[in-house]
Amino acid sequence: MKRTQNEKISQIKIETLVVGIDIGKETHYARAFDYRGIELAKLLIFSNTAEGFQHLDRWMRDICKQQEKTEVIAGFEPTGHYWFSLGDHLKRKGHKLAIVNPFHVKRTKELDDNSPTKNDRKDPKTIAMLVKDGRYRDVYIPDDIYQELREAVAERERLQERLNATHNRVVRWLDIRFPEFAGVFKKWTGKTALLTLKIFPTPAKVLEAGADKILATWRTVVKRSVGIKRAQALVKAASNSIGRTTGHVASDASLQNLLAEYELYHAQHERLEQLMLELLLQVPNAAKLLKIKGVGLVTATTFVGETGDIHRFEHPRQIQKLAGCNLVENSSGKHKGKTTISHRGRKRLRHGLFMAMIAILGKNPEFQELHQRNLTREKNPLNKMQSIIALCGKLIRVFYTILSKGVDYNPEKMMGDIQQPVKIAA
């Protein structure tokens, strides 16, 4: 992976056509320049359709023929999801892609005319000039299995949010209508509790049915033995309930809708996790990640999906930077600023690594030992958060080695470099 600005600038050669594109939902704007920043054609306005893409292809092809250019690098801002289709099209055509930071575009747009004006004609030029100067980021569009994993992880995240929201709404309903229910059942999501909420959701219906009928109903569905004592405890709780009773017809309907939503999302969630496992096992060496104590399906899938092909990285530090876990500091002269992580990069990868480390520290003895050493070492001890961030970097190195070299997780070898100094991270 080419990372330094010099290496990026060196990719812009005499025979390179630099195209800046301002992305829109329905219409895109493009301008073309050479390696010195001289504009080579008039502004192109094209639609976000197949015909528009073909128009762009002809426009670039004609310029390359007239100006004797042999390659194209197209730069654009990552404007939401609107660039996905165009990016895929340009990649299929064999063109290089470059993403520029929207903040950089905002800061440099006044260089040409000393005006804060922002419009669809000006932005493509600003983008192209940033690309020409090497101030861009290489675009990585995952192929096949890695894109599938990214989509699966994003969909699981969406379903998990829906499940959590529905769970909280059911808890709210119980707090209002039947607050004593939680004293009988620890979790309303259990099979017996869920059946009770479907058939006897309110204290009135519990009292009307009685303990014997409730027990008989439970035994028609729940295979394991269910005792009469729990049914009696439910009836007793219902007899002393302080839950609201007005508006019970509509509230019962609301609860049944919530339960149906929960079961739907839960079933979708389970099917998706099965799909995630099937996809993960298709990636070389990815199954080895699951053998690390504390590393689960979600952690492994998130890491592989967000990083993509591991062989595009030359060093695990590049993955650390991709996740925004690399260390940065603000220092000047005698002032030494506080060192923190950059928080620049793929947010889902950074969050996944952090949550994974929390789980790993609860189960994995090797990482637990490293954590304790970070906290108690004589020289420059870390606090808990600093240690967790440092161990996230360690986890990245472990994952990188396993995926790139195909080796199995070795606790002894993993502990071998614990003497390496660790910088403070906040």
Side-chain angles (χ1 to χ4, degrees):
M1 296 181 66
K2 295 186 180 299
R3 284 301 190 189
T4 68
Q5 188 175 358
N6 284 344
E7 290 172 326
K8 292 175 181 176
I9 293 174
S10 67
Q11 295 185 64
I12 312 298
K13 300 181 284 289
I14 296 177
E15 60 270 19
T16 303
L17 177 67
V18 181
V19 178
I21 304 176
D22 184 41
I23 302 292
K25 180 177 181 179
E26 298 177 352
T27 305
H28 308 314
Y29 298 80
R31 295 176 70 175
F33 302 84
D34 67 6
Y35 75 105
R36 293 180 297 172
I38 298 175
E39 190 159 11
L40 304 177
K42 293 183 179 180
L43 171 74
L44 174 70
I45 303 175
F46 63 102
S47 61
N48 189 30
T49 62
E51 291 78 10
F53 292 174
Q54 292 172 6
H55 189 191
L56 173 66
D57 291 339
R58 289 193 299 269
W59 180 74
M60 292 191 299
R61 189 165 54 247
D62 291 343
I63 298 173
C64 287
K65 185 177 180 180
Q66 294 170 8
Q67 303 294 331
E68 298 182 348
K69 305 298 181 183
T70 58
E71 62 181 23
V72 176
I73 179 167
F76 45 83
E77 296 176 271
T79 314
H81 58 274
Y82 298 131
W83 69 272
F84 288 174
S85 297
L86 179 59
D88 289 342
H89 172 78
L90 292 171
K91 181 184 176 183
R92 286 193 297 268
K93 292 295 182 179
H95 303 312
K96 296 179 182 178
L97 304 181
I99 282 182
V100 300
N101 192 320
F103 180 77
H104 295 166
V105 175
K106 181 179 179 181
R107 288 296 188 185
T108 58
K109 65 186 178 183
E110 299 183 30
L111 292 178
D112 290 332
D113 55 8
N114 195 32
S115 170
T117 300
K118 186 181 190 301
N119 55 51
D120 297 323
R121 178 177 179 82
K122 185 176 179 180
D123 285 355
K125 181 178 180 180
T126 305
I127 293 169
M129 293 303 101
L130 288 170
V131 173
K132 175 184 72 69
D133 294 335
R135 304 182 189 281
Y136 65 88
R137 178 166 55 89
D138 294 323
V139 179
Y140 173 66
I141 300 178
D143 290 324
D144 303 328
I145 191 63
Y146 299 106
Q147 185 61 44
E148 296 281 4
L149 285 170
R150 278 193 185 183
E151 296 286 350
V153 170
E155 177 62 12
R156 181 194 174 277
E157 191 175 275
R158 184 190 69 84
L159 287 175
Q160 191 64 53
E161 290 176 356
R162 295 286 183 90
L163 274 172
N164 292 341
T166 304
H167 182 279
N168 293 337
R169 290 173 65 188
V170 173
V171 171
R172 177 184 181 276
W173 190 97
L174 289 172
D175 288 343
I176 296 172
R177 298 288 171 176
F178 199 170
E180 297 79 13
F181 189 87
V184 181
F185 297 98
K186 291 183 179 180
K187 298 190 299 183
W188 69 263
T189 54
K191 187 178 290 187
T192 305
L194 200 56
L195 179 62
T196 304
L197 290 178
K198 288 181 178 179
I199 304 177
F200 316 109
T202 62
K205 289 187 177 182
V206 170
L207 293 174
E208 182 183 349
D212 292 334
K213 184 177 180 180
I214 291 173
L215 180 62
T217 303
W218 287 348
R219 287 181 174 172
T220 60
V221 177
V222 182
K223 301 300 181 182
R224 62 179 177 82
S225 176
V226 183
I228 188 64
K229 290 186 178 180
R230 176 163 290 191
Q232 292 172 343
L234 183 64
V235 172
K236 182 178 179 181
S239 65
N240 298 319
S241 178
I242 60 171
R244 176 179 284 183
T245 57
T246 57
H248 65 90
V249 175
S251 67
D252 286 0
S254 174
L255 176 62
Q256 298 311 314
N257 289 338
L258 289 173
L259 296 178
E261 281 183 24
Y262 179 81
E263 291 187 322
L264 173 63
Y265 295 143
H266 184 69
Q268 292 177 344
H269 190 273
E270 288 188 334
R271 290 197 297 270
L272 188 63
E273 289 202 338
Q274 179 60 38
L275 174 62
M276 288 168 60
L277 178 59
E278 294 172 2
L279 293 172
L280 182 67
L281 295 180
Q282 297 178 36
V283 178
N285 305 318
K288 297 178 183 291
L289 301 181
L290 300 177
K291 297 180 181 179
I292 302 174
K293 197 168 185 179
V295 175
L297 174 64
V298 176
T299 297
T301 306
T302 301
F303 183 85
V304 175
E306 290 296 303
T307 56
D309 185 1
I310 199 69
H311 297 291
R312 71 192 184 98
F313 298 99
E314 298 174 359
H315 196 278
R317 281 195 299 268
Q318 294 173 326
I319 302 177
Q320 199 166 345
K321 186 174 182 180
L322 178 70
C325 292
N326 56 305
L327 300 182
V328 296
E329 67 174 79
N330 293 316
S331 300
S332 178
K334 295 182 179 180
H335 171 72
K336 184 173 177 60
K338 189 176 182 181
T339 301
T340 64
I341 61 174
S342 69
H343 291 94
R344 301 283 181 89
R346 302 196 68 84
K347 181 179 179 181
R348 185 177 287 121
L349 176 58
R350 182 169 62 254
H351 180 264
L353 287 168
F354 180 82
M355 297 306 296
M357 187 49 59
I358 298 297
I360 288 172
L361 287 176
K363 299 179 179 180
N364 191 297
E366 298 86 51
F367 278 92
Q368 289 173 349
E369 182 178 343
L370 291 179
H371 185 52
Q372 287 302 315
R373 292 197 181 199
N374 288 340
L375 300 180
T376 59
R377 65 193 188 189
E378 293 183 6
K379 185 178 180 181
N380 194 22
L382 306 181
N383 62 38
K384 289 184 178 180
M385 183 61 71
Q386 291 170 337
S387 177
I388 290 173
I389 296 300
L391 291 176
C392 284
K394 180 69 173 177
L395 186 64
I396 289 173
R397 294 192 291 275
V398 171
F399 281 0
Y400 176 82
T401 302
I402 292 174
L403 291 172
S404 61
K405 297 183 179 180
V407 298
D408 291 323
Y409 174 69
N410 188 324
E412 291 77 17
K413 189 173 183 180
M414 195 276 291
M415 296 289 288
D417 62 349
I418 58 176
Q419 300 300 326
Q420 292 184 359
V422 179
K423 293 183 179 180
I424 297 180

